[in-house]
Amino acid sequence: MVFLRVLGAFAVEVDGAAVPLGGPRQRGVLALLVAARGQVVPVDRMIEDLWRGEPPSRALTSLQAYVSNLRRLLEPGRPPRAPARLLVSAPPGYALRLPPESVDAWRFEELLDRARAVTDPRAARA
């Protein structure tokens, strides 16, 4: 089970254990994917955002390394060459495929939506 915390300190747990996310750009890749809520983030946009409009000549290679590292961190038991299930390649880029309860901000939004649909204030608070 993967759980991402983005409300407060950015952190990831895999099966209850904290996972080191690496440097700022690798963390940035994961943040861009979380913000996209499961939608594909194009490679060009990721490069533009990660290097703030001034990418180095090897930006694509670096991005691919960040994605590879994150895949290993998020799915430590995945056999070599097996397709990733959580951080997937999807033309023209990458997407994060996690259920809503795996990201604290997504879960929070889901709970707010449910509370708004309830007319009894005590039930909404619960």
Side-chain angles (χ1 to χ4, degrees):
M1 174 74 180
V2 174
F3 187 73
L4 281 78
R5 296 180 193 284
V6 296
L7 300 175
F10 191 36
V12 174
E13 293 176 6
V14 175
D15 296 327
V19 173
L21 291 176
R25 287 206 173 93
Q26 186 164 296
R27 295 168 71 87
V29 168
L30 188 56
L32 288 168
L33 294 168
V34 168
R37 293 192 58 110
Q39 299 298 312
V40 175
V41 181
V43 167
D44 292 345
R45 179 176 154 218
M46 294 178 89
I47 289 172
E48 182 74 20
D49 288 351
L50 290 171
W51 282 276
R52 298 185 178 140
E54 297 181 25
S57 60
R58 298 186 46 85
L60 179 59
T61 302
S62 295
L63 175 60
Q64 290 167 337
Y66 298 145
V67 168
S68 178
N69 293 338
L70 287 168
R71 284 176 171 158
R72 270 193 302 278
L73 293 171
L74 297 174
E75 296 183 75
R78 184 171 53 91
R81 300 196 197 318
R85 295 177 303 108
L86 302 180
L87 199 170
V88 300
S89 297
Y94 300 100
L96 195 58
R97 303 288 190 225
L98 291 171
E101 63 272 10
S102 292
V103 179
D104 62 354
W106 299 355
R107 175 83 174 123
F108 180 71
E109 289 175 349
E110 181 181 292
L111 291 171
L112 280 178
D113 289 343
R114 278 200 252 160
R116 286 184 185 118
V118 176
T119 57
D120 176 25
R122 283 175 279 184
R125 184 180 66 205

